[in-house]
Amino acid sequence: MALPCGVLILTNFVPLSPWKKYFLLTLFFMKIKTIIAAVALVAAQSAVAAVVTVDMTRHGIRPGASDLSRRIERVLSSLTTHPDSDEVVLSFAPGRYDFYPDKAIKRELFISNHDQTNPRTVGLMLDSLHNVTIDGAGSDFVFHGRMLPVAAVGCTGLTLTDFTIDFENPQIAQVRITDSGSRGITFTPEPWVKWRLASDGSFETYGEGWTLRPASGIAFETETRHIVYNTSDLPVNLSGIIKAPNGQLLAPKWVDSRLKPGMAVALRGWERPAPGIFLDECISTTLSNVKVHYAEGMGLIAQMCNDITLDEFDVCLRDESPRFFTTQADATHFSGCSGLIESRGGYYEGMMDDAINVHGTYLKITSSENSRTLVGRYMHPQSYGFRWGAPGDSVQLVLSAVMQPLGEPNVIEAIEPVDAPTAHGAKEFRITLSNPVDLPVGEPVGIENLTASPEVVFADNVIANNRARGALFSTPRRVECLNNVFDHVSGTAVLLCGDCNGWYETGACRDVLIRGNRFINNLSSLFQFTEAVISIYPEIPDLASQTECFHGGEGYPGVVIEGNDFVTFDAPLVFARSIDGLRIAGNTITVSEEYKPFHHNRFNFRFEKSRRVTLDANRFNQPFSVSFD
């Protein structure tokens, strides 16, 4: 400030000509502006978020330490001293970390598409964190008993990177078939399986805090790890077990000629108490180089979140692992999310369900208080207890029987839970809409939240050797399924669904691009909705009465299936029901002889109650078979 002040003094006390005074005053104000700008720049730079690295070993959190959940909780609680603008990195030393249920955090959490058994036992509870990175440095996080490994609720800018999730003793029990015939199946449990025979002779597995009598099985080929052709879910009767002298077990009531010596069978129940990673109402979450090797539910479930990036997120087997299975359910699952869901470079194998499922949730309208105030209820027993919508959200009423809109989209003016103080634990909501609606008498009606629907990019992933299906998309926003490899998915590789009658999973697809993918001998078993390699299959109880297609529609891009490579042993390539706007073009189909054809659908392309369907320049070394119903 010395020079400008000196200039000011001269202008007041030294006789100068008017133009010189003007010049010096101009110079003065220019200097002032420069200094103010410099001060503002320094202030802005000082406001830039600092990167704070927390060495977890300094807090006693190191490989081999005990009581990890509580120690980590204390570190997380200390983060409140940092401004939200800071980026905090929790840095783990490489190694194995064991988490035990008796010293873990207990938390009531309602998780979509899982058993609602509360409270949950949580390994890492991440609550309301901002700009925090969990950096595992390649560590193995190993869990015991029945636990929810990682839960994040209400976090913003959370990053999870460079660690694996596994369980010491999975609830899925793997056995090897040593003999199979009319007298039953003889098998040997793998060495890591904890088992016993109950008093009635039934085969029972057990672990810390759990026991299980397997009710079903999935069979795998030992050499290829493919699910055994045309087996699907195996009925399993493991009662009256007889111990053989060589230590093997004979199940006289389990007879299945499809099972041969050497095959591996994953014996399982149907419970899904917790996923590997749970995200609830989080914003801008990134998972990078995270691998889930086992979870008794899904690998990752996100509900009511905005913007999720999966960068080389895997649900996969360990290298050289003797296991053939990973998760009890889906690898990844997104319920009621918004923004952009992006999954790139992932490897998904050995799941007992789909690689990705993106959907919202229909509430069933159970009553109306007036023309604008309705009561909607979560219907599926595994999906309730979490926020469904907010004022300002766009919603659509749907006639359940024919799966078509009732009136125009509406807007939530107010919403409150009916049977709980907050959305946490609620099954019913009172919803007041901006515009009145006219409900039909005696017809079931659902309501979907159009705002809680994301765009999806699912690209450069590999899906292999899993049960059920590959990728499921149920969102009206843009979906891009690009350059993936679907390798021996045992059911449908890509499914566009929608169901307001059973699963209550929304909704109609308006803009889907399926391009550059390679489909290798999928559809080797039958499951729900598995009508073709690509199946567009909304659940419509009264299809005959439907007057408006569910998927696509005038003014929308519809579904485009182009430039894909199909290697298939069977006939059905694309099945489509109730779609307006479908283009199938430039695909290459190669016949494989790996398995014998068996599917009941004998058409390459089959369309039910669909319109504006185009087949163009697809390459096949034999005539196409096409059906329009």
Side-chain angles (χ1 to χ4, degrees), residues 60-82:
I61 301 165
R62 56 174 58 89
S66 61
D67 199 12
L68 286 173
S69 296
R70 296 295 177 183
R71 292 172 187 251
I72 294 172
E73 182 184 32
R74 287 193 288 271
V75 173
L76 294 173
S77 65
S78 71
L79 299 184
T80 57
T81 61
H82 294 281

Side-chain angles (χ1 to χ4, degrees), residues 536-558:
I536 302 171
Y537 197 146
E539 187 71 19
I540 306 171
D542 188 6
L543 184 63
S545 299
Q546 188 188 65
T547 59
E548 182 179 334
C549 290
F550 180 72
H551 289 298
E554 291 284 350
Y556 295 104

